[in-house]
Amino acid sequence: MKYRSLAACAALAAMASTTAQAQTEIQWWHAMSGPLGEWVNDLAKQYNASQTEYKVVPTFKGTYDENMTAAIAAFRAGNAPDILQVYEVGTATMMAAKTAIVPVGEVMKQAKVKFDPKAYIPAVAGYYTAPNGQMLSFPFNSSTTIFYYNKDKFKAAGLDPEKAPTTWPEVVAAAAKLKANGEKCPFTTSWISWTQLESFSTWHNTLFATKNNGFGGTDARLAFNSPLHLRHFDNLSNMAKQGLFVYKGRANAADVSFPSGECAMITGSSGLYARVSKEAKFAYGISQLPYYPDVEGAPQNTIIGGASLWVMSGKPPAHYKGVADFFSFLSNAEVQSASHKRTGYLPITMAAFELTEKSGFYKEKPGTDVAVTQMIRKTTDKSRGIRLGNFNQIRTIIDEETEQIWAGKKSAKEALDTAIQRGNEQLERFQKANKS
Amino acid sequence: MEKRVLFRSSWLPWALLTPQLAVIIVFFFWPASQALVQSLQVQDPFGTSVEWVGMQNFRQLFSDSAYLESFKTTAWFSLLVATLGISISLILAVFADRVVRGAMVYKTFLILPYAVAPAVAGVLWLFMFSPTLGVVAYALEHVGIHWNHLLNSTHALTLIVMAAVWKQISYNFLFFLAGLQSIPKSLIEAASMDGAGPWRRFWSIQFPLLTPTTFFLLVINMVYAFFDTFAIVDATTQGGPGRDTAILVYKVYYDGFKALDLGGSAAQSVVLMVIVIALTVVQFRYVEKKVNY
């Protein structure tokens, strides 16, 4: 019902605009709300003004999972949009839906638009690239995990505010000092799975799952109960017991506790920057994710979050030409750099990063380059990214099991072992459902 | 007294039933049969590969210890929601029935929560009890209770029960109030003259006459607790901590709409349907005997 009336509105709008007659309309469903939604609309406006052949029509469809569910329902009814924004967790699901999507590399080749996957930041491009080197979806808004700390609280606790803790032992020591100074929440994190297991693994060049984190095939199985992972979660568990780490809930629920001044240190998305810079009434520092210095290969690189754009199948050829043209507009270094500065998302291409650097943006807003420098290193087979089926459920399972650690009901080993066992059932199920 | 209406023609009763039957077929039997079919399949979200797997979805469910655990959670939850919801609204209805001045105001306020969507109700309670910014959590802290539904299962279950009950009280209240007001005043007055106090009047006259309403509400509240409460859980605890508030219907919603596992979700909804049918049968066979119409 809702979709139908939306479609009716879209049809009416199309009729109303007389100039649209000769244009090919490209439907773009996305999940960007608030200021980010305005950003998406501005991109479409800017593109539409730049040429007359195509018209990109962005439509907000709710949160990432709502957007994806809506698109899947639309696909089943034969009304899929041309372009669909899908969060990184949905990547394997989209990849497996071979008849539902067209690889971006293919779209560009068919339209004969110049397209060089190597121009992209390796950790970003690698995430969305098939084993045969073809880019499957178009990198759009990528973020990564970084570390924020409250300089004022550091100073009050007798810590050096200009020296961020770079290793986990230093984080523990800093947390203890903050706690001794009366802080109720020395350290917290949002996105437990993303920051403390997924990024943690690639950052230490250790596998999160077998088969190169799922890049090698759908028969990958979870592997995050290695001695290193256990050491880290024992560490976090002890921190929780001593009140050094305070659990603030699933997903990004913890985000609010940093800019409000409640928690002194947080690991979270680089996209949190927009909020911190706007709301924090204290001096803050941004630095790279902490690591264990005795682990060989650490720090390697962190992995991305955020979303990419997928092209859906079954559209007339003219639509694909338009999509290719639009994507080449989005790849433009100036467009990318402006988006990066505006949103806090990563600049997706090296050229955009250099352009931003040259503009003096990173000097003007210190810390905004941390996310990029964490990402632009060379990736290894263990750090390219994580691509697992039913990943959404696996993340929920990790939430459920690790909550038992913070509640003191399970040891780190019990919780991670159970999470792996339950997560592997999801992987088997995915493998079975996508056999053909 | 014969209450039945006798129809002389044989087609008229069927014709009169047709609209209702059509609605039931379209909105209940057809979706239910779809669920049955899907529960025997495994398919990818896009529906491009569909595989018949027989009872595999069910086998998988019942070999999952966490799923079995959630039966216990659901039983507790629905029991608490039904009994608390019914008793609190009965008390409120009895009081509202006695109010002479400003009755309209009280009634309006009591009915208001029904207009609130379950997800909104969930968020409302979540804000009051949020360990960081909740007013109630703040007040509890002062009396020595450290409220944390993020990690304390009892707190989390209490929170969703409160939200679910609050949401349902208005509905129950309306029915009880209507029931109370349809009891002839003369009966109550006669009892008063015979020297019966308010307590005695309630138990000997009003409550027995309300049993049909109570029974109806028992069935409705059970169904509500089993099917209608996933939005509250989604908005407040997301089934956490761990899976301690993951009631059955929340998992149906999560697996179907968020995880896009249609086969597994359909299998769960079939299980849920069987449970509710069984419960309703039990209620009608055994509990209904205690009802005076």
Side-chain angles (χ1 to χ4, degrees), chain B residues 204-235:
Chain B
S204 307
I205 300 171
Q206 288 174 308
F207 189 66
L209 286 170
L210 278 178
T211 46
T213 316
T214 314
F215 177 67
F216 163 77
L217 287 176
L218 182 66
V219 176
I220 292 289
N221 278 270
M222 266 324 205
V223 173
Y224 163 74
F226 268 94
F227 287 115
D228 252 3
T229 44
F230 62 87
I232 289 174
V233 178
D234 192 44

mmCIF file of all heavy atoms in Angstrom, chain B residues 204-235:
data_model
loop_
_atom_site.group_PDB
_atom_site.id
_atom_site.type_symbol
_atom_site.label_atom_id
_atom_site.label_comp_id
_atom_site.label_asym_id
_atom_site.label_seq_id
_atom_site.Cartn_x
_atom_site.Cartn_y
_atom_site.Cartn_z
ATOM 1 N N SER B 204 -19.545 -10.864 44.746
ATOM 2 C CA SER B 204 -20.745 -11.688 44.590
ATOM 3 C C SER B 204 -21.598 -11.290 43.398
ATOM 4 O O SER B 204 -22.335 -12.105 42.871
ATOM 5 C CB SER B 204 -21.627 -11.628 45.840
ATOM 6 O OG SER B 204 -20.851 -11.936 46.952
ATOM 7 N N ILE B 205 -21.544 -10.048 43.014
ATOM 8 C CA ILE B 205 -22.427 -9.621 41.920
ATOM 9 C C ILE B 205 -21.651 -9.180 40.681
ATOM 10 O O ILE B 205 -21.794 -9.764 39.608
ATOM 11 C CB ILE B 205 -23.363 -8.478 42.388
ATOM 12 C CG1 ILE B 205 -24.205 -8.993 43.545
ATOM 13 C CG2 ILE B 205 -24.240 -8.006 41.245
ATOM 14 C CD1 ILE B 205 -24.994 -7.925 44.219
ATOM 15 N N GLN B 206 -20.803 -8.159 40.861
ATOM 16 C CA GLN B 206 -20.191 -7.566 39.667
ATOM 17 C C GLN B 206 -19.236 -8.532 38.964
ATOM 18 O O GLN B 206 -19.339 -8.758 37.761
ATOM 19 C CB GLN B 206 -19.448 -6.278 40.047
ATOM 20 C CG GLN B 206 -20.415 -5.156 40.390
ATOM 21 C CD GLN B 206 -19.688 -3.936 40.890
ATOM 22 O OE1 GLN B 206 -18.876 -4.027 41.803
ATOM 23 N NE2 GLN B 206 -19.989 -2.811 40.302
ATOM 24 N N PHE B 207 -18.331 -9.128 39.729
ATOM 25 C CA PHE B 207 -17.333 -9.964 39.057
ATOM 26 C C PHE B 207 -17.945 -11.162 38.346
ATOM 27 O O PHE B 207 -17.610 -11.430 37.183
ATOM 28 C CB PHE B 207 -16.236 -10.390 40.033
ATOM 29 C CG PHE B 207 -15.094 -11.056 39.333
ATOM 30 C CD1 PHE B 207 -14.301 -10.332 38.448
ATOM 31 C CD2 PHE B 207 -14.840 -12.413 39.509
ATOM 32 C CE1 PHE B 207 -13.266 -10.951 37.767
ATOM 33 C CE2 PHE B 207 -13.805 -13.030 38.830
ATOM 34 C CZ PHE B 207 -13.016 -12.301 37.963
ATOM 35 N N PRO B 208 -18.876 -11.905 38.985
ATOM 36 C CA PRO B 208 -19.501 -13.016 38.241
ATOM 37 C C PRO B 208 -20.164 -12.550 36.943
ATOM 38 O O PRO B 208 -20.114 -13.241 35.933
ATOM 39 C CB PRO B 208 -20.535 -13.566 39.219
ATOM 40 C CG PRO B 208 -20.021 -13.186 40.553
ATOM 41 C CD PRO B 208 -19.309 -11.880 40.384
ATOM 42 N N LEU B 209 -20.778 -11.368 37.010
ATOM 43 C CA LEU B 209 -21.441 -10.888 35.796
ATOM 44 C C LEU B 209 -20.422 -10.427 34.753
ATOM 45 O O LEU B 209 -20.743 -10.270 33.584
ATOM 46 C CB LEU B 209 -22.398 -9.746 36.131
ATOM 47 C CG LEU B 209 -23.681 -10.212 36.838
ATOM 48 C CD1 LEU B 209 -24.456 -9.021 37.359
ATOM 49 C CD2 LEU B 209 -24.534 -11.048 35.895
ATOM 50 N N LEU B 210 -19.183 -10.200 35.189
ATOM 51 C CA LEU B 210 -18.145 -9.759 34.253
ATOM 52 C C LEU B 210 -17.363 -10.942 33.665
ATOM 53 O O LEU B 210 -16.500 -10.747 32.822
ATOM 54 C CB LEU B 210 -17.149 -8.832 34.959
ATOM 55 C CG LEU B 210 -17.527 -7.371 35.108
ATOM 56 C CD1 LEU B 210 -16.435 -6.646 35.867
ATOM 57 C CD2 LEU B 210 -17.765 -6.725 33.753
ATOM 58 N N THR B 211 -17.643 -12.162 34.116
ATOM 59 C CA THR B 211 -16.814 -13.283 33.648
ATOM 60 C C THR B 211 -16.786 -13.445 32.122
ATOM 61 O O THR B 211 -15.732 -13.762 31.585
ATOM 62 C CB THR B 211 -17.198 -14.617 34.319
ATOM 63 O OG1 THR B 211 -18.602 -14.748 34.292
ATOM 64 C CG2 THR B 211 -16.641 -14.694 35.731
ATOM 65 N N PRO B 212 -17.903 -13.225 31.422
ATOM 66 C CA PRO B 212 -17.775 -13.352 29.950
ATOM 67 C C PRO B 212 -16.757 -12.348 29.394
ATOM 68 O O PRO B 212 -15.938 -12.688 28.556
ATOM 69 C CB PRO B 212 -19.172 -13.040 29.434
ATOM 70 C CG PRO B 212 -20.081 -13.220 30.584
ATOM 71 C CD PRO B 212 -19.284 -12.915 31.811
ATOM 72 N N THR B 213 -16.815 -11.111 29.911
ATOM 73 C CA THR B 213 -15.871 -10.090 29.463
ATOM 74 C C THR B 213 -14.445 -10.510 29.804
ATOM 75 O O THR B 213 -13.533 -10.408 28.983
ATOM 76 C CB THR B 213 -16.172 -8.750 30.162
ATOM 77 O OG1 THR B 213 -17.564 -8.544 30.143
ATOM 78 C CG2 THR B 213 -15.444 -7.610 29.506
ATOM 79 N N THR B 214 -14.249 -10.979 31.046
ATOM 80 C CA THR B 214 -12.908 -11.373 31.483
ATOM 81 C C THR B 214 -12.375 -12.503 30.606
ATOM 82 O O THR B 214 -11.208 -12.503 30.208
ATOM 83 C CB THR B 214 -12.946 -11.821 32.952
ATOM 84 O OG1 THR B 214 -13.697 -10.874 33.691
ATOM 85 C CG2 THR B 214 -11.540 -11.918 33.511
ATOM 86 N N PHE B 215 -13.236 -13.452 30.302
ATOM 87 C CA PHE B 215 -12.804 -14.569 29.483
ATOM 88 C C PHE B 215 -12.414 -14.103 28.078
ATOM 89 O O PHE B 215 -11.362 -14.457 27.551
ATOM 90 C CB PHE B 215 -13.917 -15.625 29.396
ATOM 91 C CG PHE B 215 -13.560 -16.768 28.510
ATOM 92 C CD1 PHE B 215 -12.537 -17.641 28.872
ATOM 93 C CD2 PHE B 215 -14.211 -16.980 27.306
ATOM 94 C CE1 PHE B 215 -12.173 -18.688 28.051
ATOM 95 C CE2 PHE B 215 -13.853 -18.023 26.476
ATOM 96 C CZ PHE B 215 -12.838 -18.877 26.856
ATOM 97 N N PHE B 216 -13.255 -13.263 27.517
ATOM 98 C CA PHE B 216 -12.952 -12.706 26.201
ATOM 99 C C PHE B 216 -11.602 -11.986 26.239
ATOM 100 O O PHE B 216 -10.738 -12.189 25.381
ATOM 101 C CB PHE B 216 -14.078 -11.749 25.787
ATOM 102 C CG PHE B 216 -13.717 -10.818 24.670
ATOM 103 C CD1 PHE B 216 -13.690 -11.278 23.357
ATOM 104 C CD2 PHE B 216 -13.400 -9.482 24.923
ATOM 105 C CE1 PHE B 216 -13.347 -10.421 22.327
ATOM 106 C CE2 PHE B 216 -13.053 -8.626 23.894
ATOM 107 C CZ PHE B 216 -13.026 -9.103 22.589
ATOM 108 N N LEU B 217 -11.400 -11.177 27.277
ATOM 109 C CA LEU B 217 -10.154 -10.415 27.368
ATOM 110 C C LEU B 217 -8.943 -11.323 27.601
ATOM 111 O O LEU B 217 -7.851 -11.036 27.123
ATOM 112 C CB LEU B 217 -10.249 -9.374 28.488
ATOM 113 C CG LEU B 217 -11.141 -8.178 28.166
ATOM 114 C CD1 LEU B 217 -11.240 -7.255 29.365
ATOM 115 C CD2 LEU B 217 -10.615 -7.415 26.954
ATOM 116 N N LEU B 218 -9.156 -12.419 28.293
ATOM 117 C CA LEU B 218 -8.061 -13.361 28.522
ATOM 118 C C LEU B 218 -7.553 -13.880 27.169
ATOM 119 O O LEU B 218 -6.343 -13.874 26.893
ATOM 120 C CB LEU B 218 -8.536 -14.519 29.395
ATOM 121 C CG LEU B 218 -7.474 -15.555 29.742
ATOM 122 C CD1 LEU B 218 -6.415 -14.925 30.637
ATOM 123 C CD2 LEU B 218 -8.107 -16.751 30.449
ATOM 124 N N VAL B 219 -8.504 -14.285 26.319
ATOM 125 C CA VAL B 219 -8.116 -14.782 24.988
ATOM 126 C C VAL B 219 -7.427 -13.675 24.192
ATOM 127 O O VAL B 219 -6.350 -13.865 23.635
ATOM 128 C CB VAL B 219 -9.357 -15.313 24.233
ATOM 129 C CG1 VAL B 219 -8.976 -15.744 22.833
ATOM 130 C CG2 VAL B 219 -9.981 -16.474 24.996
ATOM 131 N N ILE B 220 -8.042 -12.489 24.181
ATOM 132 C CA ILE B 220 -7.497 -11.379 23.403
ATOM 133 C C ILE B 220 -6.097 -10.990 23.888
ATOM 134 O O ILE B 220 -5.183 -10.763 23.099
ATOM 135 C CB ILE B 220 -8.442 -10.147 23.498
ATOM 136 C CG1 ILE B 220 -9.750 -10.440 22.776
ATOM 137 C CG2 ILE B 220 -7.783 -8.894 22.947
ATOM 138 C CD1 ILE B 220 -9.645 -10.492 21.272
ATOM 139 N N ASN B 221 -5.919 -10.960 25.217
ATOM 140 C CA ASN B 221 -4.622 -10.555 25.763
ATOM 141 C C ASN B 221 -3.538 -11.581 25.487
ATOM 142 O O ASN B 221 -2.379 -11.231 25.273
ATOM 143 C CB ASN B 221 -4.732 -10.316 27.270
ATOM 144 C CG ASN B 221 -5.277 -8.938 27.573
ATOM 145 O OD1 ASN B 221 -4.539 -7.991 27.706
ATOM 146 N ND2 ASN B 221 -6.592 -8.817 27.616
ATOM 147 N N MET B 222 -3.930 -12.852 25.509
ATOM 148 C CA MET B 222 -2.978 -13.903 25.155
ATOM 149 C C MET B 222 -2.493 -13.702 23.718
ATOM 150 O O MET B 222 -1.306 -13.722 23.433
ATOM 151 C CB MET B 222 -3.658 -15.275 25.243
ATOM 152 C CG MET B 222 -3.489 -16.009 26.558
ATOM 153 S SD MET B 222 -1.902 -15.793 27.316
ATOM 154 C CE MET B 222 -1.744 -17.225 28.295
ATOM 155 N N VAL B 223 -3.471 -13.508 22.838
ATOM 156 C CA VAL B 223 -3.138 -13.313 21.425
ATOM 157 C C VAL B 223 -2.268 -12.067 21.254
ATOM 158 O O VAL B 223 -1.280 -12.070 20.526
ATOM 159 C CB VAL B 223 -4.420 -13.206 20.570
ATOM 160 C CG1 VAL B 223 -4.078 -12.833 19.140
ATOM 161 C CG2 VAL B 223 -5.185 -14.513 20.615
ATOM 162 N N TYR B 224 -2.612 -11.018 21.991
ATOM 163 C CA TYR B 224 -1.833 -9.778 21.939
ATOM 164 C C TYR B 224 -0.391 -10.037 22.370
ATOM 165 O O TYR B 224 0.553 -9.654 21.689
ATOM 166 C CB TYR B 224 -2.492 -8.731 22.843
ATOM 167 C CG TYR B 224 -1.617 -7.559 23.209
ATOM 168 C CD1 TYR B 224 -1.326 -6.565 22.275
ATOM 169 C CD2 TYR B 224 -1.084 -7.446 24.492
ATOM 170 C CE1 TYR B 224 -0.517 -5.488 22.613
ATOM 171 C CE2 TYR B 224 -0.277 -6.381 24.837
ATOM 172 C CZ TYR B 224 0.007 -5.402 23.895
ATOM 173 O OH TYR B 224 0.806 -4.348 24.222
ATOM 174 N N ALA B 225 -0.230 -10.717 23.509
ATOM 175 C CA ALA B 225 1.118 -10.962 24.024
ATOM 176 C C ALA B 225 1.922 -11.828 23.055
ATOM 177 O O ALA B 225 3.123 -11.643 22.881
ATOM 178 C CB ALA B 225 1.050 -11.621 25.391
ATOM 179 N N PHE B 226 1.262 -12.742 22.401
ATOM 180 C CA PHE B 226 1.966 -13.655 21.505
ATOM 181 C C PHE B 226 2.307 -13.043 20.160
ATOM 182 O O PHE B 226 3.325 -13.362 19.569
ATOM 183 C CB PHE B 226 1.131 -14.921 21.282
ATOM 184 C CG PHE B 226 1.452 -16.011 22.250
ATOM 185 C CD1 PHE B 226 0.728 -16.164 23.417
ATOM 186 C CD2 PHE B 226 2.504 -16.882 21.999
ATOM 187 C CE1 PHE B 226 1.040 -17.163 24.324
ATOM 188 C CE2 PHE B 226 2.816 -17.881 22.894
ATOM 189 C CZ PHE B 226 2.082 -18.026 24.058
ATOM 190 N N PHE B 227 1.411 -12.175 19.638
ATOM 191 C CA PHE B 227 1.598 -11.733 18.257
ATOM 192 C C PHE B 227 1.943 -10.256 18.092
ATOM 193 O O PHE B 227 2.539 -9.868 17.114
ATOM 194 C CB PHE B 227 0.339 -12.017 17.427
ATOM 195 C CG PHE B 227 0.144 -13.454 17.114
ATOM 196 C CD1 PHE B 227 -0.936 -14.142 17.615
ATOM 197 C CD2 PHE B 227 1.055 -14.132 16.311
ATOM 198 C CE1 PHE B 227 -1.111 -15.484 17.331
ATOM 199 C CE2 PHE B 227 0.886 -15.459 16.024
ATOM 200 C CZ PHE B 227 -0.200 -16.141 16.535
ATOM 201 N N ASP B 228 1.514 -9.415 19.036
ATOM 202 C CA ASP B 228 1.510 -7.982 18.759
ATOM 203 C C ASP B 228 2.625 -7.204 19.431
ATOM 204 O O ASP B 228 2.672 -5.987 19.355
ATOM 205 C CB ASP B 228 0.168 -7.393 19.225
ATOM 206 C CG ASP B 228 -0.688 -7.027 18.034
ATOM 207 O OD1 ASP B 228 -0.231 -7.306 16.916
ATOM 208 O OD2 ASP B 228 -1.778 -6.479 18.234
ATOM 209 N N THR B 229 3.512 -7.898 20.123
ATOM 210 C CA THR B 229 4.419 -7.181 21.006
ATOM 211 C C THR B 229 5.840 -7.060 20.464
ATOM 212 O O THR B 229 6.713 -6.536 21.136
ATOM 213 C CB THR B 229 4.470 -7.888 22.367
ATOM 214 O OG1 THR B 229 4.566 -9.286 22.122
ATOM 215 C CG2 THR B 229 3.246 -7.591 23.180
ATOM 216 N N PHE B 230 6.071 -7.539 19.226
ATOM 217 C CA PHE B 230 7.457 -7.532 18.729
ATOM 218 C C PHE B 230 8.015 -6.122 18.584
ATOM 219 O O PHE B 230 9.193 -5.882 18.814
ATOM 220 C CB PHE B 230 7.573 -8.290 17.404
ATOM 221 C CG PHE B 230 6.775 -7.704 16.292
ATOM 222 C CD1 PHE B 230 7.308 -6.713 15.501
ATOM 223 C CD2 PHE B 230 5.490 -8.142 16.042
ATOM 224 C CE1 PHE B 230 6.576 -6.155 14.474
ATOM 225 C CE2 PHE B 230 4.740 -7.595 15.027
ATOM 226 C CZ PHE B 230 5.284 -6.602 14.241
ATOM 227 N N ALA B 231 7.123 -5.159 18.267
ATOM 228 C CA ALA B 231 7.606 -3.790 18.070
ATOM 229 C C ALA B 231 8.127 -3.213 19.379
ATOM 230 O O ALA B 231 9.113 -2.478 19.395
ATOM 231 C CB ALA B 231 6.488 -2.916 17.510
ATOM 232 N N ILE B 232 7.465 -3.581 20.489
ATOM 233 C CA ILE B 232 7.910 -3.093 21.796
ATOM 234 C C ILE B 232 9.299 -3.640 22.105
ATOM 235 O O ILE B 232 10.198 -2.909 22.510
ATOM 236 C CB ILE B 232 6.900 -3.510 22.884
ATOM 237 C CG1 ILE B 232 5.618 -2.692 22.721
ATOM 238 C CG2 ILE B 232 7.489 -3.316 24.276
ATOM 239 C CD1 ILE B 232 4.504 -3.103 23.632
ATOM 240 N N VAL B 233 9.480 -4.935 21.875
ATOM 241 C CA VAL B 233 10.782 -5.549 22.136
ATOM 242 C C VAL B 233 11.842 -4.938 21.220
ATOM 243 O O VAL B 233 12.950 -4.607 21.653
ATOM 244 C CB VAL B 233 10.722 -7.078 21.933
ATOM 245 C CG1 VAL B 233 12.084 -7.700 22.167
ATOM 246 C CG2 VAL B 233 9.698 -7.692 22.862
ATOM 247 N N ASP B 234 11.487 -4.752 19.973
ATOM 248 C CA ASP B 234 12.443 -4.204 19.014
ATOM 249 C C ASP B 234 12.886 -2.806 19.429
ATOM 250 O O ASP B 234 14.052 -2.458 19.323
ATOM 251 C CB ASP B 234 11.809 -4.173 17.621
ATOM 252 C CG ASP B 234 12.837 -3.897 16.540
ATOM 253 O OD1 ASP B 234 13.920 -4.498 16.603
ATOM 254 O OD2 ASP B 234 12.557 -3.074 15.660
ATOM 255 N N ALA B 235 11.940 -2.017 19.928
ATOM 256 C CA ALA B 235 12.274 -0.636 20.272
ATOM 257 C C ALA B 235 13.012 -0.533 21.597
ATOM 258 O O ALA B 235 13.770 0.407 21.799
ATOM 259 C CB ALA B 235 10.999 0.211 20.318
#
